[in-house]
Structure formats: structure tokens, C-alpha cells
Amino acid sequence: VVEFDAVEKEDQRRDALQAFMALHGVAWQERGGSQAMQTTTELAFHDAFSRTALERGWLRLFLLKVNGRPLGELYGFRRGPRFYFYQSGYDPAWRKHSVGLVTMGLAIKQALAEGAEEYDLLHGTEAYKFRWAKQTRELSRLHLFPPSWRGWLYRASLEAESQGKHAARRWLPQTVLDRLIESRKGV
């Protein structure tokens, strides 16, 4: 039995978010890991934000299940005429059945049924996004720091971290990079 469910109630949200985070982590593990939802602080943020988004009618958390087992999930938001895709996850054991693409397709279908005029895939140039989109938008990032020694110190530390990552990617062998990534994740 194949089901595609949308989260509509708080008890569904908690269970679906937990299943989503597990599927998201598994799906990204073989690609070096996800930059999203890694720390307990980030997980707590998504728990609180998704609760608020559900209360306000913005949350779009979809589950693709086969025989009651979640195989694909999509976490997004609907605000006004736009659907915002945020993250997805799927069971890699079901990759050959394209559960990630099926979940995305069903989410797009649902967004259109709700009257969304745009399905925004947000940041990133992952190949799967170009199965659905023909154009991209330029994105900009604005960093603001308080005008104090703390702001200067924080800015300097972020710049040093960025330069260190760039140098590591350029000069270190891939095996060493893989070990560093695993150690940062606590694997």
C-alpha cells in the first residue's frame, strides 16, 4: 500500500519530523553529510519552528510511505502564492524506485492543488533540482555584525574558518578530508 500524507496535526508533526530527520541523515550520509540539521541546537530550532509553522498554516511536511514505512519525506513551507522547498530525505535502499523524485513530484502536485503559483527550490544547484526547474535566481548573502570588538572577533573567526576550509579542500587528500568531516560529526 502506497500512501502520501501531509502533516496536519501536532502529534503527526512530531513523529514526521523525527522520521524526516532520520531519512534526511541517511540519504545525505553517503554524500559526505548534510550541512543542515546536525547540531542539537539546529534540531531544537526546527522542532520549534515547524510547530509554529504548523500553527500558522505554513508547514508542509509530506511523507511517502509503503506499507506504513516512511521511505521519502519533504519538508517545506507555503506562504502566500509560493511553496518553499526546504529539505528532503529518502531511504537509499529504495533509490532505484526514485522515491525522492516521486516525493518531490507529489509535493509539487499538492502545491498546485492548493493554488501555489510558484514552487521555489531555494538555494543550491543540486542536479535533481534541474529536473524540475529551467531557471535559477542569483542569491546574495548579507552578514551583519555588531559594531564592537565582539562583532569584529566573530567576523574574523568566520573568515578564518572559511579560508581554512578552502585551503583544506585545495591541499589535503580526500581521505584526510573524509576523516576530518567524520570527526566533526562525532562519527
Side-chain angles (χ1 to χ4, degrees), residues 15 49 51 83 87 102 119 124 144 153 184 186:
D15 294 342
F49 184 76
R51 184 181 321 108
F83 183 105
Q87 289 286 348
V102 170
Y119 192 95
L144 301 173
L153 187 61
R184 282 194 75 188

PDB file of all heavy atoms in Angstrom, residues 15 49 51 83 87 102 119 124 144 153 184 186:
ATOM      1  N   ASP A  15       6.140  13.178  15.122  1.00  0.00           N
ATOM      2  CA  ASP A  15       6.578  11.878  14.582  1.00  0.00           C
ATOM      3  C   ASP A  15       7.172  12.026  13.192  1.00  0.00           C
ATOM      4  O   ASP A  15       8.199  11.438  12.872  1.00  0.00           O
ATOM      5  CB  ASP A  15       5.407  10.894  14.549  1.00  0.00           C
ATOM      6  CG  ASP A  15       4.905  10.524  15.939  1.00  0.00           C
ATOM      7  OD1 ASP A  15       5.646  10.739  16.929  1.00  0.00           O
ATOM      8  OD2 ASP A  15       3.766  10.024  16.027  1.00  0.00           O
ATOM      9  N   PHE A  49      10.347  25.713  15.242  1.00  0.00           N
ATOM     10  CA  PHE A  49       9.858  26.457  14.072  1.00  0.00           C
ATOM     11  C   PHE A  49       8.757  25.688  13.354  1.00  0.00           C
ATOM     12  O   PHE A  49       7.757  26.273  12.943  1.00  0.00           O
ATOM     13  CB  PHE A  49      10.999  26.788  13.107  1.00  0.00           C
ATOM     14  CG  PHE A  49      10.526  27.623  11.954  1.00  0.00           C
ATOM     15  CD1 PHE A  49      10.258  28.970  12.126  1.00  0.00           C
ATOM     16  CD2 PHE A  49      10.317  27.060  10.709  1.00  0.00           C
ATOM     17  CE1 PHE A  49       9.799  29.747  11.081  1.00  0.00           C
ATOM     18  CE2 PHE A  49       9.854  27.830   9.653  1.00  0.00           C
ATOM     19  CZ  PHE A  49       9.594  29.181   9.838  1.00  0.00           C
ATOM     20  N   ARG A  51       6.681  23.624  14.616  1.00  0.00           N
ATOM     21  CA  ARG A  51       5.476  23.702  15.453  1.00  0.00           C
ATOM     22  C   ARG A  51       4.747  25.025  15.179  1.00  0.00           C
ATOM     23  O   ARG A  51       3.533  25.046  14.955  1.00  0.00           O
ATOM     24  CB  ARG A  51       5.834  23.587  16.932  1.00  0.00           C
ATOM     25  CG  ARG A  51       4.621  23.572  17.852  1.00  0.00           C
ATOM     26  CD  ARG A  51       4.954  23.488  19.347  1.00  0.00           C
ATOM     27  NE  ARG A  51       6.067  22.614  19.657  1.00  0.00           N
ATOM     28  CZ  ARG A  51       7.279  23.032  20.041  1.00  0.00           C
ATOM     29  NH1 ARG A  51       7.534  24.321  20.159  1.00  0.00           N
ATOM     30  NH2 ARG A  51       8.235  22.176  20.312  1.00  0.00           N
ATOM     31  N   PHE A  83       5.318  28.157  -2.652  1.00  0.00           N
ATOM     32  CA  PHE A  83       5.713  26.988  -1.877  1.00  0.00           C
ATOM     33  C   PHE A  83       7.239  27.010  -1.815  1.00  0.00           C
ATOM     34  O   PHE A  83       7.894  27.140  -2.844  1.00  0.00           O
ATOM     35  CB  PHE A  83       5.255  25.698  -2.566  1.00  0.00           C
ATOM     36  CG  PHE A  83       5.566  24.448  -1.775  1.00  0.00           C
ATOM     37  CD1 PHE A  83       4.566  23.777  -1.103  1.00  0.00           C
ATOM     38  CD2 PHE A  83       6.856  23.942  -1.707  1.00  0.00           C
ATOM     39  CE1 PHE A  83       4.838  22.627  -0.382  1.00  0.00           C
ATOM     40  CE2 PHE A  83       7.148  22.802  -0.984  1.00  0.00           C
ATOM     41  CZ  PHE A  83       6.134  22.144  -0.318  1.00  0.00           C
ATOM     42  N   GLN A  87      13.966  20.974   2.579  1.00  0.00           N
ATOM     43  CA  GLN A  87      14.832  19.794   2.597  1.00  0.00           C
ATOM     44  C   GLN A  87      13.993  18.565   2.287  1.00  0.00           C
ATOM     45  O   GLN A  87      12.771  18.584   2.416  1.00  0.00           O
ATOM     46  CB  GLN A  87      15.475  19.599   3.981  1.00  0.00           C
ATOM     47  CG  GLN A  87      16.517  20.593   4.347  1.00  0.00           C
ATOM     48  CD  GLN A  87      17.827  20.379   3.604  1.00  0.00           C
ATOM     49  OE1 GLN A  87      18.055  19.374   2.959  1.00  0.00           O
ATOM     50  NE2 GLN A  87      18.714  21.350   3.704  1.00  0.00           N
ATOM     51  N   VAL A 102       9.782  10.959  -6.640  1.00  0.00           N
ATOM     52  CA  VAL A 102       8.340  10.741  -6.523  1.00  0.00           C
ATOM     53  C   VAL A 102       7.770  11.640  -5.423  1.00  0.00           C
ATOM     54  O   VAL A 102       6.729  12.278  -5.603  1.00  0.00           O
ATOM     55  CB  VAL A 102       8.028   9.248  -6.246  1.00  0.00           C
ATOM     56  CG1 VAL A 102       6.562   9.054  -5.869  1.00  0.00           C
ATOM     57  CG2 VAL A 102       8.389   8.395  -7.455  1.00  0.00           C
ATOM     58  N   TYR A 119       6.808  27.233  -7.108  1.00  0.00           N
ATOM     59  CA  TYR A 119       7.434  26.214  -6.264  1.00  0.00           C
ATOM     60  C   TYR A 119       8.910  26.557  -6.240  1.00  0.00           C
ATOM     61  O   TYR A 119       9.620  26.335  -7.212  1.00  0.00           O
ATOM     62  CB  TYR A 119       7.201  24.823  -6.862  1.00  0.00           C
ATOM     63  CG  TYR A 119       7.549  23.688  -5.935  1.00  0.00           C
ATOM     64  CD1 TYR A 119       6.573  23.101  -5.153  1.00  0.00           C
ATOM     65  CD2 TYR A 119       8.839  23.195  -5.847  1.00  0.00           C
ATOM     66  CE1 TYR A 119       6.867  22.047  -4.303  1.00  0.00           C
ATOM     67  CE2 TYR A 119       9.157  22.151  -5.003  1.00  0.00           C
ATOM     68  CZ  TYR A 119       8.162  21.574  -4.236  1.00  0.00           C
ATOM     69  OH  TYR A 119       8.461  20.540  -3.394  1.00  0.00           O
ATOM     70  N   GLY A 124      20.907  26.339  -3.859  1.00  0.00           N
ATOM     71  CA  GLY A 124      21.585  25.092  -4.221  1.00  0.00           C
ATOM     72  C   GLY A 124      21.458  24.778  -5.698  1.00  0.00           C
ATOM     73  O   GLY A 124      20.489  25.146  -6.344  1.00  0.00           O
ATOM     74  N   LEU A 144      25.750  40.629   8.880  1.00  0.00           N
ATOM     75  CA  LEU A 144      25.774  41.824   9.707  1.00  0.00           C
ATOM     76  C   LEU A 144      26.399  41.474  11.048  1.00  0.00           C
ATOM     77  O   LEU A 144      26.094  40.436  11.634  1.00  0.00           O
ATOM     78  CB  LEU A 144      24.360  42.361   9.922  1.00  0.00           C
ATOM     79  CG  LEU A 144      23.594  42.738   8.652  1.00  0.00           C
ATOM     80  CD1 LEU A 144      22.169  43.098   8.997  1.00  0.00           C
ATOM     81  CD2 LEU A 144      24.282  43.892   7.949  1.00  0.00           C
ATOM     82  N   LEU A 153      35.562  40.299  16.248  1.00  0.00           N
ATOM     83  CA  LEU A 153      36.147  38.993  16.547  1.00  0.00           C
ATOM     84  C   LEU A 153      35.342  37.866  15.902  1.00  0.00           C
ATOM     85  O   LEU A 153      35.909  36.930  15.313  1.00  0.00           O
ATOM     86  CB  LEU A 153      36.226  38.789  18.068  1.00  0.00           C
ATOM     87  CG  LEU A 153      36.961  37.551  18.556  1.00  0.00           C
ATOM     88  CD1 LEU A 153      38.418  37.571  18.101  1.00  0.00           C
ATOM     89  CD2 LEU A 153      36.890  37.485  20.083  1.00  0.00           C
ATOM     90  N   ARG A 184      34.282  15.808  12.898  1.00  0.00           N
ATOM     91  CA  ARG A 184      33.443  16.959  13.264  1.00  0.00           C
ATOM     92  C   ARG A 184      32.019  16.541  13.567  1.00  0.00           C
ATOM     93  O   ARG A 184      31.330  17.176  14.338  1.00  0.00           O
ATOM     94  CB  ARG A 184      33.407  17.986  12.130  1.00  0.00           C
ATOM     95  CG  ARG A 184      34.681  18.815  12.088  1.00  0.00           C
ATOM     96  CD  ARG A 184      34.509  20.011  11.239  1.00  0.00           C
ATOM     97  NE  ARG A 184      33.700  20.990  11.958  1.00  0.00           N
ATOM     98  CZ  ARG A 184      33.241  22.082  11.412  1.00  0.00           C
ATOM     99  NH1 ARG A 184      33.475  22.355  10.163  1.00  0.00           N
ATOM    100  NH2 ARG A 184      32.508  22.925  12.098  1.00  0.00           N
ATOM    101  N   GLY A 186      31.298  13.698  14.885  1.00  0.00           N
ATOM    102  CA  GLY A 186      31.298  12.804  16.035  1.00  0.00           C
ATOM    103  C   GLY A 186      31.107  11.350  15.666  1.00  0.00           C
ATOM    104  O   GLY A 186      30.670  10.545  16.470  1.00  0.00           O
TER     105      GLY A 186
END
